[in-house]
Amino acid sequence: AQRVTQPEKLLSVFKGAPVELKCNYSYSGSPELFWYVQYSRQRLQLLLRHISRESIKGFTADLNKGETSFHLKKPFAQEEDSAMYYCALLSGSRLTFGEGTQLTVNP
Amino acid sequence: DSGVTQTPKHLITATGQRVTLRCSPRSGDLSVYWYQQSLDQGLQFLIQYYNGEERAKGNILERFSAQQFPDLHSELNLSSLELGDSALYFCASSVGSSGQYEQYFGPGTRLTVT
């Protein structure tokens, strides 16, 4: 069965510092992974997906099949990045989400 | 605003009762997904409908059922409610049936069972 693990429930950094939100997965097939973000009082929305290999709002994520990881990174965090971040794995049409990491960027 | 609407926003009911949650997808989207977010279980996929037909099933209890109507709105029915059913229920929609299509989430319905 597929599983997504986000080991950090809370992560706090200062503005301008690099940030990395960890995501590890367990899946027997070829994984397709996503990062979703939920800003305060807003709905969950897609941030990026690994197949598009794009950078959104300065965030990137690289799929590492050897380490079964899909960590989300940003070189210089901004206060507006404060939000709840969820890593998700696609199997068929269903998404399996990690427990989420609450990122706080302090001024 | 993703265009997905859910009603009601909040629902408070007693154990043993039955409730219906409603979701209207974005215009043009044929798939509707239901998720449950609780403190102990996190965000879990419940069920997917595509153009009126059940397409995928997740960790949905037998006490729960869903359907998608010809106008593509969907309802999630929760019966014989227990305290542990208290959660935020999200609906999402996408244009296609495959999970590769981006899912757009609604604001959720917060269910409190007392």
Side-chain angles (χ1 to χ4, degrees), chain A residues 32 34 36 38 43-46 49 51 86 90 92-99, chain B residues 1-2 4 33 35 37 43 45 48 56-58 97 99-100 102-103 105-107:
Chain A
E32 186 162 351
F34 303 78
Y36 278 80
Q38 188 171 27
R43 56 190 72 192
L44 197 63
Q45 58 187 284
L46 178 65
R49 60 178 74 188
I51 57 170
Y86 294 93
L90 181 67
S93 57
R94 59 180 290 180
L95 286 170
T96 299
F97 286 88
E99 293 187 355
Chain B
D1 186 349
S2 66
V4 178
Y33 306 78
Y35 293 88
Q37 186 177 38
L43 189 57
F45 169 75
Q48 178 202 4
K57 211 165 186 176
S97 61
Q100 295 185 353
E102 181 173 346
Q103 294 183 29
F105 282 77

Side-chain angles (χ1 to χ4, degrees), chain B residues 2-39:
Chain B
S2 66
V4 178
T5 60
Q6 290 186 248
T7 55
K9 284 188 178 180
H10 303 277
L11 198 48
I12 301 174
T13 189
T15 54
Q17 295 298 305
R18 173 190 170 93
V19 297
T20 297
L21 313 184
R22 183 188 169 102
C23 169
S24 292
R26 291 188 323 154
S27 176
D29 284 358
L30 298 178
S31 267
V32 170
Y33 306 78
W34 286 98
Y35 293 88
Q36 179 194 56
Q37 186 177 38
S38 60
L39 284 175

Side-chain angles (χ1 to χ4, degrees), chain B residues 51-105:
Chain B
N51 205 20
E53 301 286 329
E54 182 183 304
R55 184 55 63 105
K57 211 165 186 176
N59 302 321
I60 187 166
L61 299 172
E62 285 191 13
R63 300 184 284 109
F64 297 0
S65 65
Q67 54 183 324
Q68 186 179 28
F69 294 87
D71 67 353
L72 301 177
H73 90 271
S74 177
E75 293 181 356
L76 179 66
N77 300 295
L78 315 175
S79 62
S80 302
L81 285 168
E82 301 175 359
L83 295 177
D85 297 328
S86 296
L88 194 53
Y89 291 84
F90 287 106
C91 145
S93 74
S94 68
V95 63
S97 61
S98 162
Q100 295 185 353
Y101 292 96
E102 181 173 346
Q103 294 183 29
Y104 294 86
F105 282 77

